[in-house]
Amino acid sequence: MIELIRVSKTYHIPAAPRPRGRNLAGMLAGLERLFEPETEKRIVVNDVTLKVHEGELLALLGGSGSGKTTTLKMINRLIEPDGDGQGKILIGGQDISHISKRDAVELRRKIGYVIQSSGLFPHMTVAANIAVVPRLLGLKQWSEARIKERIDELLKLVKLEPTDFRDREPEKLSGGQKQRVRFARALAAEPKIVLLDEPFGALDPETREGLQKDFRAICKAEKLTAVMVTHDMTEALLMADKIAVMQDGKVLDQGTPRQMRASDNETVRRFIDSPRHQAERVEALLGGTLHGDFR
């Protein structure tokens, strides 16, 4: 289980320079700022509480700058949460909020991580890319024979024939095939948790739909607990057991898709209803009843 309790993240960024006068007072003020540079606080995640039970897929939904990716990266400690003593991040009941850098690296090796694009090593074959984390974990946990066996298991799981794809390099793969390899690599060390940052966003509609179905089936087969960042409400509704809608660093509401449709928050209801409105406009367009700027 993954649990975030009142987690926040604040960045301190340099303040915009103030105009300096040419008199003595202005020059002294400028010198003071050199020794004590001013900063402004930017709160990107604000008092977020979430709970993802074992085997669930939670979709973090929101527009750009809502804090969803920062929240995701705090779960595997790619980003460290604020150290104010209030917030906690629990994984399997263990507080990982402020573990050491070395322990954070070990944590990330136990959590699958899939991003939208890139991430594959271009000078490595598909098999070598998938084997990265098991080899980092060492022979005590993963023998070479077991790694080879696992590579073929995963290629079959993501619907890539091992004999055809094992020795290919990433540049010889289509976009959808590359993403299937990224999924395989994320699952290589048999993690129980997978984090996904807009994993289907760069794919064409047909490939995206197929991968979404396949990944959902993989989650059920492997009993994975997953958190997925997306800005696509249709994707969230089709894939997630629970949805959390974020805006300006806060969670506006969270729950099952059905619960979210009955949310008291108007912004959340607009998010939830957007796929239906789009479908109605497409249907009207195809039926010839949609005209003018409404299209």
Side-chain angles (χ1 to χ4, degrees), residues 76 108-114 186-187 191 193-196:
N76 68 355
R108 284 192 285 275
R109 290 176 181 174
K110 297 175 183 176
I111 297 176
Y113 189 58
V114 183
L187 299 173
I193 295 173
V194 178
L195 308 180
L196 308 102

Side-chain angles (χ1 to χ4, degrees), residues 104-122:
V105 170
E106 291 301 315
L107 173 72
R108 284 192 285 275
R109 290 176 181 174
K110 297 175 183 176
I111 297 176
Y113 189 58
V114 183
I115 57 177
Q116 185 179 110
S117 58
S118 72
L120 296 180
F121 297 110

